[in-house]
């Protein structure tokens, strides 16, 4: 079943357009939304959540995202996680609970305990990682089946990031939730995601299963620009690197498997060169 | 759903100054003082609510709840509306106590409008004018809370200045509207009713406009 279906999502600003963004996320999968700063990741997520008026269609488990039935199925945590810093965790939980008929205090306090969050503490005293986990606890307590997270790992230290990735991974395994998260930390993607949507300048450049994407390309190192071919030719030290099709062979050219970071960087260079 | 949002406003958005500034209704006991400033402070507490709301990401958070975006705007206006009505009721109560306890000579305000029914009507007009200006501007761009407040407060001060000037420029006005309630009660009651009607109309229109604007606003 499709957890999230985004069709032709478009948002026009005077200096930027989110242009016809379409992708799907299957139930129980994790999808990473990646792209350079200003590529349109947050705009896409806000458009899905209805925080900004957009053109196009968004369906959540087959229900239009704008309908009141869809919102309880979604848990959203925007960048910064700065909600009500001076309030206690339990106060926020109590207030949020009134909006959801399926809210479970048992799940809420259970998840808080699991994540090591003291309900009596003020939100301001929680670490950034704990704040993200609080968002997850709130979402799961009202029965959210789809988590939409805007750069959940960007403010975290490596250990907290690892913990959060473990948590998300566990939630998908144990609770069967689906996750769409934006990030520019591709190591998180490699670790977590089943699929990747790469945005560049408001457009979807790649929409692929992570495994397929990694198997599509090789990274070639050419001795000169003249001999270089492939996507996104870029000088690195004394060689010129580019993405080539898997299976590419040429004498004097070293070929190896690229990292996800390298694929994203070279695709971005290729897009800029075309422009 | 509005009731739930109101509960959220009280639990998460109520700024301490909202309660503190309600106590300014006791200003009416200060001899010879421009009592209308209490309505400016009411606007200031609304400003603080919206300012801390901005720092807390309140509007974004509220819009992720299972509510319509426009309901979030209406609930905020209604929340502030409750605080304003509470101020008017308290000011009325304080005025009544003052009129019961103090001799007539001590009731007359030599620095501006006397605390009486007309004063409450003017207060309602000041609050209604604030709502009409502040909320639609605020919901157009909630990141810029200061500008709507400065504009709304400036209009309030113009109205207050007008009332003070009238008090001294027109002896007839002063005789009718700055006397205790025992005198010219009908005229003062008329001002009170006009004030309440203006307040209700301005606030309803402000909520309607805010909801429409906020629906189209980017968060």
């Amino acid at each position: 079943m499709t957890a999230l279906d985004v069709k032709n999502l478009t948002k026009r600003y005077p200096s930027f357009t989110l242009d016809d963004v379409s992708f799907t996320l299957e139930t129980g999968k994790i999808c990473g939304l990646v792209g350079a700063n200003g590529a349109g990741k947050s705009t896409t997520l806000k458009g899905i959540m209805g925080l900004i008026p957009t053109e196009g269609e968004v369906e959540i488990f087959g229900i239009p995202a704008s309908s009141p039935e869809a919102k309880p199925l979604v848990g959203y945590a925007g960048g910064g996680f700065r909600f009500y810093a001076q309030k206690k965790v339990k106060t926020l939980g109590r207030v949020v609970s009134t909006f959801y008929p399926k809210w479970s205090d048992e799940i809420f306090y259970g998840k808080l305990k699991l994540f090591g969050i003291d309900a009596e503490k003020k939100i301001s005293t929680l670490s950034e990682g704990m704040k993200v986990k609080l968002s997850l606890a709130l979402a799961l307590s009202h029965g959210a089946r789809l988590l939409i997270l805007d750069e959940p790992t960007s403010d975290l230290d490596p250990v907290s990031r690892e913990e959060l990735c473990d948590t998300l991974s566990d939630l998908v395994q144990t609770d069967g939730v689906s996750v769409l998260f934006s990030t520019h930390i591709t190591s998180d993607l490699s670790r977590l995601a089943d699929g990747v949507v790469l945005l560049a300048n408001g457009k979807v450049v790649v929409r692929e299963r992570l495994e397929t994407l990694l198997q599509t390309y090789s990274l070639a190192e050419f001795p000169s620009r003249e001999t270089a071919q492939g996507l996104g030719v870029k000088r690195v030290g004394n060689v010129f690197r580019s993405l080539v099709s898997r299976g590419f062979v040429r004498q004097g050219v070293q070929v190896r498997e690229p990292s996800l970071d390298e694929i994203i960087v070279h695709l971005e260079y290729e897009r800029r060169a075309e422009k | 759903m509005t009731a739930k949002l109101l509960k959220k406003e009280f639990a998460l958005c109520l700024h301490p100054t909202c309660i503190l500034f309600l106590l300014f209704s006791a200003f009416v006991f200060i001899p010879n003082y421009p009592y209308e400033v209490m309505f400016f402070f009411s606007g200031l507490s609304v400003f603080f609510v919206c300012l801390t709301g901005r720092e807390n990401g309140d509007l974004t958070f509220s819009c992720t709840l299972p509510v319509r975006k426009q309901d979030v705007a209406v609930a905020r206006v209604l929340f502030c509306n409750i605080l304003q009505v509470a101020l008017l009721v308290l000011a009325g109560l304080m005025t009544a106590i003052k009129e019961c306890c103090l001799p007539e000579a001590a009731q007359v305000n030599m620095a501006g409008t006397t605390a009486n029914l007309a004063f409450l009507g003017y207060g309602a007009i000041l609050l209604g004018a604030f709502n009409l200006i502040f909320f639609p501007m605020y919901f157009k761009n909630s990141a810029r809370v200061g500008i709507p407040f400065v504009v709304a407060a400036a209009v309030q001060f113009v109205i207050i200045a007008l009332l003070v000037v009238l008090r001294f420029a027109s002896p007839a006005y002063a005789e009718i509207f700055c006397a205790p309630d025992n005198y010219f009660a009908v005229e003062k009651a008329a001002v009170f009713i006009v004030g309440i009607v203006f307040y209700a109309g301005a606030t309803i229109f402000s909520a309607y406009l805010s909801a429409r604007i906020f629906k189209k606003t980017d968060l």
Side-chain angles (χ1 to χ4, degrees):
Chain A
M1 190 183 183
T2 306
L4 175 67
D5 190 359
V6 180
K7 291 177 197 158
N8 312 113
L9 193 70
T10 302
K11 174 71 184 174
R12 293 173 222 281
Y13 293 107
S15 58
F16 171 77
T17 300
L18 187 74
D19 196 2
D20 241 5
V21 169
S22 300
F23 63 90
T24 56
L25 169 62
E26 295 304 312
T27 303
K29 301 287 182 192
I30 302 180
C31 179
L33 192 61
V34 286
N37 290 335
K41 302 186 293 290
S42 295
T43 307
T44 303
L45 298 187
K46 284 180 177 180
I48 292 169
M49 289 304 298
L51 297 176
I52 53 173
T54 51
E55 296 163 36
E57 288 174 38
V58 179
E59 286 187 354
I60 290 161
F61 295 100
I63 305 166
S66 56
S67 79
E69 292 81 30
K71 269 194 174 176
L73 299 172
V74 188
Y76 171 81
F81 306 97
R82 60 202 168 105
F83 304 129
Y84 313 108
Q86 295 309 312
K87 299 296 175 187
K88 285 183 179 176
V89 169
K90 68 173 184 183
T91 308
L92 186 61
R94 199 177 59 234
V95 171
V96 171
S97 71
T98 61
F99 288 89
Y100 297 97
K102 287 186 180 171
W103 175 272
S104 163
D105 268 342
E106 198 182 333
I107 295 176
F108 182 61
Y109 287 101
K111 292 294 177 193
L112 290 185
K113 196 176 173 188
L114 180 72
F115 298 153
I117 300 171
D118 183 350
E120 295 293 333
K121 274 192 169 181
K122 281 187 177 179
I123 294 169
S124 60
T125 64
L126 301 179
S127 68
E128 291 306 311
M130 288 296 187
K131 286 177 191 168
V132 181
K133 288 178 183 174
L134 172 59
S135 297
L136 298 179
L138 288 168
L140 295 168
S141 307
H142 67 70
R145 313 301 305 149
L146 169 65
L147 303 177
I148 295 180
L149 311 172
D150 192 1
E151 303 202 1
T153 55
S154 59
D155 292 330
L156 307 186
D157 61 75
V159 176
S160 304
R161 234 172 52 218
E162 187 68 14
E163 280 177 8
L164 184 65
C165 288
D166 287 341
T167 303
L168 285 174
S169 194
D170 289 347
L171 290 177
V172 172
Q173 298 292 324
T174 56
D175 298 52
V177 297
S178 314
V179 181
L180 172 67
F181 74 107
S182 69
T183 185
H184 48 248
I185 303 169
T186 47
S187 59
D188 297 341
L189 269 184
S190 311
R191 167 130 165 45
L192 275 178
D194 300 293
V196 176
V197 175
L198 172 60
L199 286 174
N201 201 26
K203 288 183 179 164
V204 174
V205 180
V206 171
R207 183 179 36 222
E208 198 61 87
R209 279 173 50 79
L210 184 62
E211 210 177 334
T212 312
L213 181 66
L214 290 169
Q215 286 170 358
T216 303
Y217 300 107
S218 291
L219 191 78
E221 290 187 349
F222 297 89
S224 66
R225 185 174 286 279
E226 289 70 33
T227 56
Q229 63 180 86
L231 300 174
V233 178
K234 177 180 177 293
R235 184 180 185 140
V236 181
N238 294 326
V239 295
F240 290 82
R241 282 185 188 163
S242 69
L243 284 183
V244 292
S245 303
R246 191 51 73 93
F248 176 89
V249 180
R250 190 195 282 181
Q251 204 172 10
V253 176
Q254 279 193 346
V255 177
R256 64 170 171 84
E257 282 189 15
S259 66
L260 183 58
D261 244 344
E262 287 167 329
I263 293 175
I264 289 170
V265 166
H266 284 278
L267 288 175
E268 177 66 15
Y269 268 71
E270 178 64 18
R271 189 192 63 80
R272 288 183 191 175
E274 281 174 3
K275 207 175 167 186
Chain B
M1 201 48 81
T2 309
K4 289 175 183 172
L5 280 167
L6 267 179
K7 194 176 168 188
K8 186 227 81 181
E9 293 282 313
F10 276 102
L12 300 177
C13 306
L14 185 71
H15 194 271
T17 56
C18 296
I19 306 300
L20 180 71
F21 291 167
L22 284 180
L23 303 178
F24 286 6
S25 53
F27 275 1
V28 295
F29 288 105
I30 303 171
N32 305 323
Y33 186 81
Y35 303 137
E36 293 92 340
V37 293
M38 73 173 74
F39 301 110
F40 159 78
F41 281 106
S42 168
L44 192 61
S45 68
V46 171
F47 167 72
F48 285 136
V49 166
C50 295
L51 189 69
T52 48
R54 183 184 72 183
E55 302 315 308
N56 287 329
D58 171 62
L59 291 180
T60 304
F61 181 82
S62 301
C63 289
T64 63
L65 295 169
V67 296
R68 294 184 311 160
K69 206 171 165 187
Q70 50 270 46
D71 291 339
V72 172
V74 171
R76 172 57 53 84
V77 177
L78 203 56
F79 167 64
C80 297
N81 188 220
I82 289 170
L83 294 173
Q84 290 168 343
V85 170
L87 177 67
L88 278 173
V89 169
L90 280 173
L93 210 64
M94 298 292 176
T95 300
I97 293 169
K98 185 181 178 184
E99 286 180 341
C100 289
C101 299
L102 297 182
E104 275 184 6
Q107 289 176 31
V108 176
N109 182 8
M110 300 307 287
T113 310
T114 297
N116 54 26
L117 260 182
F119 161 72
L120 296 174
Y122 295 142
I125 289 171
L126 286 166
L127 294 173
F130 180 88
N131 293 347
L132 199 56
I133 295 162
F134 179 82
F135 288 111
M137 282 180 80
Y138 166 65
F139 282 108
K140 195 167 188 179
N141 184 356
S142 57
R144 300 175 75 182
V145 193
I147 293 172
F149 173 67
V150 168
V151 175
V155 170
Q156 279 189 318
F157 273 112
V158 168
I159 298 171
I160 292 171
L162 201 69
L163 293 171
V164 174
V165 168
L166 265 175
R167 160 79 171 84
F168 296 104
S170 167
Y173 169 86
E175 190 185 345
I176 297 170
F177 295 108
C178 295
D181 277 328
N182 292 340
Y183 307 95
F184 304 104
V186 175
E187 286 82 351
K188 285 198 277 280
V191 171
F192 176 73
I193 290 165
V194 167
I196 295 298
V197 169
F198 175 79
Y199 175 74
T203 304
I204 290 167
F205 187 59
S206 171
Y208 167 76
L209 215 55
S210 300
R212 278 189 62 156
I213 291 168
F214 190 52
K215 193 180 172 186
K216 295 174 189 164
T217 301
D218 294 338
L219 285 172

PDB file of all heavy atoms in Angstrom, chain B residues 39 87-88 91-93 95 114 116-125 191-192 195-196:
ATOM      1  N   PHE B  39      -5.841  49.826  28.020  1.00  0.00           N
ATOM      2  CA  PHE B  39      -6.214  49.106  26.789  1.00  0.00           C
ATOM      3  C   PHE B  39      -5.013  48.973  25.848  1.00  0.00           C
ATOM      4  O   PHE B  39      -4.945  48.049  25.060  1.00  0.00           O
ATOM      5  CB  PHE B  39      -7.396  49.806  26.111  1.00  0.00           C
ATOM      6  CG  PHE B  39      -8.595  49.875  27.023  1.00  0.00           C
ATOM      7  CD1 PHE B  39      -9.021  51.081  27.568  1.00  0.00           C
ATOM      8  CD2 PHE B  39      -9.274  48.720  27.379  1.00  0.00           C
ATOM      9  CE1 PHE B  39     -10.086  51.136  28.433  1.00  0.00           C
ATOM     10  CE2 PHE B  39     -10.346  48.767  28.255  1.00  0.00           C
ATOM     11  CZ  PHE B  39     -10.760  49.981  28.785  1.00  0.00           C
ATOM     12  N   LEU B  87     -10.766  42.043  30.599  1.00  0.00           N
ATOM     13  CA  LEU B  87     -10.284  43.370  30.989  1.00  0.00           C
ATOM     14  C   LEU B  87     -11.456  44.358  31.083  1.00  0.00           C
ATOM     15  O   LEU B  87     -11.549  45.134  32.050  1.00  0.00           O
ATOM     16  CB  LEU B  87      -9.251  43.884  29.978  1.00  0.00           C
ATOM     17  CG  LEU B  87      -8.726  45.297  30.247  1.00  0.00           C
ATOM     18  CD1 LEU B  87      -7.905  45.342  31.538  1.00  0.00           C
ATOM     19  CD2 LEU B  87      -7.873  45.815  29.091  1.00  0.00           C
ATOM     20  N   LEU B  88     -12.351  44.295  30.089  1.00  0.00           N
ATOM     21  CA  LEU B  88     -13.505  45.204  30.099  1.00  0.00           C
ATOM     22  C   LEU B  88     -14.395  44.941  31.320  1.00  0.00           C
ATOM     23  O   LEU B  88     -14.860  45.877  31.979  1.00  0.00           O
ATOM     24  CB  LEU B  88     -14.325  45.029  28.811  1.00  0.00           C
ATOM     25  CG  LEU B  88     -13.808  45.769  27.572  1.00  0.00           C
ATOM     26  CD1 LEU B  88     -14.602  45.377  26.348  1.00  0.00           C
ATOM     27  CD2 LEU B  88     -13.860  47.290  27.767  1.00  0.00           C
ATOM     28  N   ALA B  91     -12.537  46.168  34.364  1.00  0.00           N
ATOM     29  CA  ALA B  91     -12.548  47.641  34.385  1.00  0.00           C
ATOM     30  C   ALA B  91     -13.936  48.145  34.809  1.00  0.00           C
ATOM     31  O   ALA B  91     -14.048  49.115  35.574  1.00  0.00           O
ATOM     32  CB  ALA B  91     -12.163  48.188  33.008  1.00  0.00           C
ATOM     33  N   GLY B  92     -14.971  47.472  34.325  1.00  0.00           N
ATOM     34  CA  GLY B  92     -16.340  47.829  34.710  1.00  0.00           C
ATOM     35  C   GLY B  92     -16.572  47.638  36.194  1.00  0.00           C
ATOM     36  O   GLY B  92     -17.162  48.485  36.874  1.00  0.00           O
ATOM     37  N   LEU B  93     -16.045  46.530  36.677  1.00  0.00           N
ATOM     38  CA  LEU B  93     -16.183  46.205  38.104  1.00  0.00           C
ATOM     39  C   LEU B  93     -15.467  47.240  38.964  1.00  0.00           C
ATOM     40  O   LEU B  93     -16.010  47.740  39.964  1.00  0.00           O
ATOM     41  CB  LEU B  93     -15.572  44.815  38.331  1.00  0.00           C
ATOM     42  CG  LEU B  93     -16.158  43.965  39.442  1.00  0.00           C
ATOM     43  CD1 LEU B  93     -17.611  43.622  39.142  1.00  0.00           C
ATOM     44  CD2 LEU B  93     -15.342  42.687  39.598  1.00  0.00           C
ATOM     45  N   THR B  95     -14.686  50.254  38.101  1.00  0.00           N
ATOM     46  CA  THR B  95     -15.392  51.536  37.953  1.00  0.00           C
ATOM     47  C   THR B  95     -16.592  51.582  38.889  1.00  0.00           C
ATOM     48  O   THR B  95     -16.829  52.589  39.588  1.00  0.00           O
ATOM     49  CB  THR B  95     -15.843  51.716  36.489  1.00  0.00           C
ATOM     50  OG1 THR B  95     -14.682  51.694  35.659  1.00  0.00           O
ATOM     51  CG2 THR B  95     -16.577  53.025  36.282  1.00  0.00           C
ATOM     52  N   THR B 114     -13.109  60.356  32.549  1.00  0.00           N
ATOM     53  CA  THR B 114     -13.480  59.812  33.858  1.00  0.00           C
ATOM     54  C   THR B 114     -13.884  58.348  33.690  1.00  0.00           C
ATOM     55  O   THR B 114     -14.450  57.968  32.657  1.00  0.00           O
ATOM     56  CB  THR B 114     -14.660  60.629  34.434  1.00  0.00           C
ATOM     57  OG1 THR B 114     -14.191  61.968  34.630  1.00  0.00           O
ATOM     58  CG2 THR B 114     -15.160  60.067  35.749  1.00  0.00           C
ATOM     59  N   ASN B 116     -16.181  55.819  33.726  1.00  0.00           N
ATOM     60  CA  ASN B 116     -17.645  55.701  33.741  1.00  0.00           C
ATOM     61  C   ASN B 116     -18.064  54.806  32.575  1.00  0.00           C
ATOM     62  O   ASN B 116     -17.211  54.173  31.931  1.00  0.00           O
ATOM     63  CB  ASN B 116     -18.304  57.084  33.666  1.00  0.00           C
ATOM     64  CG  ASN B 116     -17.796  57.872  32.448  1.00  0.00           C
ATOM     65  OD1 ASN B 116     -17.364  57.286  31.456  1.00  0.00           O
ATOM     66  ND2 ASN B 116     -17.841  59.194  32.538  1.00  0.00           N
ATOM     67  N   LEU B 117     -19.339  54.753  32.295  1.00  0.00           N
ATOM     68  CA  LEU B 117     -19.832  53.887  31.211  1.00  0.00           C
ATOM     69  C   LEU B 117     -19.230  54.273  29.855  1.00  0.00           C
ATOM     70  O   LEU B 117     -18.886  53.405  29.048  1.00  0.00           O
ATOM     71  CB  LEU B 117     -21.360  53.995  31.129  1.00  0.00           C
ATOM     72  CG  LEU B 117     -22.165  52.867  31.782  1.00  0.00           C
ATOM     73  CD1 LEU B 117     -23.653  53.106  31.557  1.00  0.00           C
ATOM     74  CD2 LEU B 117     -21.763  51.489  31.262  1.00  0.00           C
ATOM     75  N   ALA B 118     -19.135  55.587  29.621  1.00  0.00           N
ATOM     76  CA  ALA B 118     -18.580  56.057  28.339  1.00  0.00           C
ATOM     77  C   ALA B 118     -17.120  55.609  28.202  1.00  0.00           C
ATOM     78  O   ALA B 118     -16.683  55.197  27.127  1.00  0.00           O
ATOM     79  CB  ALA B 118     -18.666  57.573  28.250  1.00  0.00           C
ATOM     80  N   PHE B 119     -16.399  55.665  29.321  1.00  0.00           N
ATOM     81  CA  PHE B 119     -14.995  55.227  29.310  1.00  0.00           C
ATOM     82  C   PHE B 119     -14.898  53.751  28.880  1.00  0.00           C
ATOM     83  O   PHE B 119     -14.032  53.370  28.091  1.00  0.00           O
ATOM     84  CB  PHE B 119     -14.394  55.426  30.709  1.00  0.00           C
ATOM     85  CG  PHE B 119     -13.162  54.628  30.961  1.00  0.00           C
ATOM     86  CD1 PHE B 119     -11.954  54.954  30.356  1.00  0.00           C
ATOM     87  CD2 PHE B 119     -13.191  53.506  31.800  1.00  0.00           C
ATOM     88  CE1 PHE B 119     -10.816  54.196  30.577  1.00  0.00           C
ATOM     89  CE2 PHE B 119     -12.065  52.748  32.021  1.00  0.00           C
ATOM     90  CZ  PHE B 119     -10.875  53.099  31.408  1.00  0.00           C
ATOM     91  N   LEU B 120     -15.813  52.930  29.388  1.00  0.00           N
ATOM     92  CA  LEU B 120     -15.807  51.509  28.998  1.00  0.00           C
ATOM     93  C   LEU B 120     -16.123  51.368  27.511  1.00  0.00           C
ATOM     94  O   LEU B 120     -15.556  50.503  26.827  1.00  0.00           O
ATOM     95  CB  LEU B 120     -16.821  50.723  29.838  1.00  0.00           C
ATOM     96  CG  LEU B 120     -16.506  50.669  31.345  1.00  0.00           C
ATOM     97  CD1 LEU B 120     -17.647  50.005  32.104  1.00  0.00           C
ATOM     98  CD2 LEU B 120     -15.198  49.929  31.605  1.00  0.00           C
ATOM     99  N   GLY B 121     -17.016  52.208  27.024  1.00  0.00           N
ATOM    100  CA  GLY B 121     -17.325  52.207  25.583  1.00  0.00           C
ATOM    101  C   GLY B 121     -16.108  52.584  24.758  1.00  0.00           C
ATOM    102  O   GLY B 121     -15.806  51.947  23.745  1.00  0.00           O
ATOM    103  N   TYR B 122     -15.382  53.603  25.224  1.00  0.00           N
ATOM    104  CA  TYR B 122     -14.145  54.000  24.522  1.00  0.00           C
ATOM    105  C   TYR B 122     -13.123  52.866  24.565  1.00  0.00           C
ATOM    106  O   TYR B 122     -12.405  52.616  23.593  1.00  0.00           O
ATOM    107  CB  TYR B 122     -13.537  55.250  25.165  1.00  0.00           C
ATOM    108  CG  TYR B 122     -14.386  56.509  25.050  1.00  0.00           C
ATOM    109  CD1 TYR B 122     -14.463  57.424  26.098  1.00  0.00           C
ATOM    110  CD2 TYR B 122     -15.103  56.773  23.884  1.00  0.00           C
ATOM    111  CE1 TYR B 122     -15.231  58.563  25.994  1.00  0.00           C
ATOM    112  CE2 TYR B 122     -15.880  57.922  23.785  1.00  0.00           C
ATOM    113  CZ  TYR B 122     -15.941  58.805  24.832  1.00  0.00           C
ATOM    114  OH  TYR B 122     -16.709  59.926  24.724  1.00  0.00           O
ATOM    115  N   GLY B 123     -13.059  52.199  25.719  1.00  0.00           N
ATOM    116  CA  GLY B 123     -12.144  51.066  25.857  1.00  0.00           C
ATOM    117  C   GLY B 123     -12.459  49.991  24.832  1.00  0.00           C
ATOM    118  O   GLY B 123     -11.555  49.434  24.194  1.00  0.00           O
ATOM    119  N   ALA B 124     -13.759  49.715  24.683  1.00  0.00           N
ATOM    120  CA  ALA B 124     -14.176  48.699  23.701  1.00  0.00           C
ATOM    121  C   ALA B 124     -13.784  49.131  22.285  1.00  0.00           C
ATOM    122  O   ALA B 124     -13.329  48.313  21.482  1.00  0.00           O
ATOM    123  CB  ALA B 124     -15.677  48.479  23.803  1.00  0.00           C
ATOM    124  N   ILE B 125     -13.920  50.422  22.005  1.00  0.00           N
ATOM    125  CA  ILE B 125     -13.526  50.932  20.671  1.00  0.00           C
ATOM    126  C   ILE B 125     -12.015  50.770  20.476  1.00  0.00           C
ATOM    127  O   ILE B 125     -11.550  50.337  19.414  1.00  0.00           O
ATOM    128  CB  ILE B 125     -13.950  52.413  20.513  1.00  0.00           C
ATOM    129  CG1 ILE B 125     -15.481  52.495  20.392  1.00  0.00           C
ATOM    130  CG2 ILE B 125     -13.280  53.060  19.297  1.00  0.00           C
ATOM    131  CD1 ILE B 125     -16.052  53.891  20.453  1.00  0.00           C
ATOM    132  N   VAL B 191     -22.822  55.688  24.352  1.00  0.00           N
ATOM    133  CA  VAL B 191     -21.411  55.512  23.951  1.00  0.00           C
ATOM    134  C   VAL B 191     -20.959  54.087  24.278  1.00  0.00           C
ATOM    135  O   VAL B 191     -20.270  53.437  23.479  1.00  0.00           O
ATOM    136  CB  VAL B 191     -20.504  56.546  24.672  1.00  0.00           C
ATOM    137  CG1 VAL B 191     -19.024  56.227  24.429  1.00  0.00           C
ATOM    138  CG2 VAL B 191     -20.820  57.954  24.202  1.00  0.00           C
ATOM    139  N   PHE B 192     -21.373  53.601  25.435  1.00  0.00           N
ATOM    140  CA  PHE B 192     -21.007  52.242  25.845  1.00  0.00           C
ATOM    141  C   PHE B 192     -21.534  51.221  24.832  1.00  0.00           C
ATOM    142  O   PHE B 192     -20.793  50.334  24.390  1.00  0.00           O
ATOM    143  CB  PHE B 192     -21.581  51.957  27.239  1.00  0.00           C
ATOM    144  CG  PHE B 192     -21.342  50.548  27.698  1.00  0.00           C
ATOM    145  CD1 PHE B 192     -20.072  50.125  28.087  1.00  0.00           C
ATOM    146  CD2 PHE B 192     -22.385  49.624  27.750  1.00  0.00           C
ATOM    147  CE1 PHE B 192     -19.845  48.817  28.502  1.00  0.00           C
ATOM    148  CE2 PHE B 192     -22.165  48.320  28.163  1.00  0.00           C
ATOM    149  CZ  PHE B 192     -20.898  47.921  28.546  1.00  0.00           C
ATOM    150  N   GLY B 195     -19.712  51.415  21.598  1.00  0.00           N
ATOM    151  CA  GLY B 195     -18.385  50.819  21.783  1.00  0.00           C
ATOM    152  C   GLY B 195     -18.436  49.298  21.720  1.00  0.00           C
ATOM    153  O   GLY B 195     -17.633  48.666  21.034  1.00  0.00           O
ATOM    154  N   ILE B 196     -19.403  48.719  22.424  1.00  0.00           N
ATOM    155  CA  ILE B 196     -19.523  47.253  22.451  1.00  0.00           C
ATOM    156  C   ILE B 196     -19.868  46.722  21.058  1.00  0.00           C
ATOM    157  O   ILE B 196     -19.286  45.721  20.610  1.00  0.00           O
ATOM    158  CB  ILE B 196     -20.598  46.815  23.487  1.00  0.00           C
ATOM    159  CG1 ILE B 196     -20.158  47.201  24.907  1.00  0.00           C
ATOM    160  CG2 ILE B 196     -20.876  45.319  23.390  1.00  0.00           C
ATOM    161  CD1 ILE B 196     -18.863  46.541  25.398  1.00  0.00           C
TER     162      ILE B 196
END
